[in-house]
């Protein structure tokens, strides 16, 4: 099945953590990284995030930089990327920022675990794709984005569980990492692939394509091997 090119973007501490032990926004990077996040987000035809991360980070999933929106318009593209959320459990807060007025259209991939009540209030706010399985078929979801929404480049901002799942099906092409000079420690603070647990089905290898220093941080771009 055809799928978009997938770029994953994360900020990581010096000891490999992407969030705190309570999975709360940590704000451990510099303002330059916040700008970099917007620039990477602007590359995508769509932005992909897991529902837990949308909730934990109180995300709107919008492209807030007006200059980047203008550049997209000038290139004949929508001003903001399509907003795509994956949720196996189908639980959402009606008051979440991502459901506020304005912004790009929303697409939600979920499962039969989503209640009819939730489906009813989400229906006017997003395109709903419900899988008759306990978890979302990510390969099928990526194919739908490519086929029905013409998504050719997809930017994924996590969380770790979603990123791991994409790695498991070989669906990550590029990884961008901000390496921050901060150390959290702690066994319960998640890494790029979540909390310590089972190994991936196979080792994922990558090639360093670019390394840029900035404000005490380091910005890395990796190309993942097929």
């Amino acid at each position: 099945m055809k799928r978009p090119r997938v770029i994953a973007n994360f900020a990581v501490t010096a000891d490999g953590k992407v969030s705190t032990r309570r999975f709360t926004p940590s704000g451990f990077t510099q303002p330059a990284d916040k700008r970099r996040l917007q620039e990477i987000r602007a590359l995508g035809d769509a932005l992909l995030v897991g529902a837990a991360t949308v909730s934990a980070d109180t995300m709107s999933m919008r492209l807030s930089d007006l200059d980047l929106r203008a550049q997209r318009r000038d290139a004949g593209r929508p001003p903001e990327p399509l907003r795509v959320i994956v949720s196996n459990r189908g639980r959402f807060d009606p008051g979440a920022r991502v459901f506020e007025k304005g912004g790009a259209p929303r697409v939600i991939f979920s499962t039969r675990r989503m209640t009819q009540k939730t489906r009813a209030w989400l229906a006017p706010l997003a395109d709903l794709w419900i899988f008759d399985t306990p978890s979302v078929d990510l390969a099928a979801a990526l194919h739908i984005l490519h086929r029905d929404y013409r998504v050719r480049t997809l930017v994924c901002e996590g969380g770790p569980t979603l990123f791991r799942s994409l790695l498991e099906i070989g669906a990550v092409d590029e990884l961008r990492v901000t390496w921050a000079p901060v150390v959290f420690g702690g066994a319960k603070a998640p890494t790029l692939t979540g909390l310590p647990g089972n190994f991936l089905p196979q080792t994922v290898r990558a090639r360093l394509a670019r390394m840029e220093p900035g404000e005490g941080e380091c910005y890395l771009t990796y190309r993942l091997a097929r």
Side-chain angles (χ1 to χ4, degrees):
M1 292 188 293
K2 291 185 177 180
R3 65 167 179 85
R5 174 172 173 261
V6 176
I7 302 171
N9 183 37
F10 284 89
V12 182
T13 66
D15 58 337
K17 308 298 184 180
V18 298
S19 184
T20 65
R21 63 187 176 89
R22 292 189 175 91
F23 295 83
T24 54
S26 51
F28 54 79
T29 60
Q30 299 296 320
D33 180 58
K34 307 301 187 291
R35 168 67 185 183
R36 181 174 180 269
L37 179 144
Q38 289 282 308
E39 291 172 347
I40 295 171
R41 187 176 286 186
L43 296 174
D45 301 306
L47 174 65
L48 175 69
V49 186
T53 299
V54 171
S55 176
D57 291 1
T58 60
M59 296 177 71
S60 69
M61 296 180 65
R62 298 198 60 180
L63 188 62
S64 59
D65 190 287
L66 298 181
D67 290 339
L68 292 174
R69 289 190 201 176
Q71 290 173 22
R72 288 173 60 95
R73 287 194 194 95
D74 292 344
R77 305 171 70 195
E80 300 183 62
L82 186 73
R83 294 179 286 181
V84 183
I85 307 172
V86 173
S87 174
N88 290 329
R89 294 184 298 175
R91 298 179 183 175
F92 291 93
D93 175 8
R97 287 185 64 205
V98 73
F99 298 122
E100 293 175 351
K101 292 182 179 179
R106 310 169 191 89
V107 178
I108 294 175
F109 292 102
S110 192
T111 71
R112 63 190 180 197
R113 297 161 66 184
M114 179 185 284
T115 66
Q116 290 298 329
K117 180 179 179 180
T118 300
R119 296 184 199 190
W121 70 258
L122 277 175
L125 301 175
D127 288 354
L128 289 179
W129 294 83
I130 305 297
F131 289 86
D132 190 24
T133 50
S135 59
V136 172
D137 183 336
L138 283 177
L142 294 177
H143 178 63
I144 289 168
L145 290 172
H146 186 278
R147 181 194 66 199
D148 293 18
Y149 297 93
R150 299 184 179 181
V151 174
R152 298 298 179 262
T153 300
L154 179 67
V155 175
C156 175
E157 293 183 6
T161 301
L162 177 58
F163 177 62
R164 180 189 174 102
S165 297
L166 291 170
L167 286 177
E168 288 176 345
I169 63 171
V172 180
D173 301 287
E174 184 173 301
L175 173 62
R176 301 203 181 194
V177 176
T178 296
W179 199 261
V182 179
V183 176
F184 282 172
K188 294 184 178 180
T191 68
L192 276 176
T193 55
L195 297 176
N198 295 330
F199 287 106
L200 289 167
Q202 59 184 9
T203 300
V204 177
R205 302 190 183 280
R207 174 178 61 84
L208 181 63
R210 182 180 299 174
M211 180 170 60
E212 306 168 75
E215 293 190 22
E217 300 171 334
C218 189
Y219 310 128
L220 306 172
T221 300
Y222 292 96
R223 305 273 193 270
L224 273 63
R226 306 311 321 148

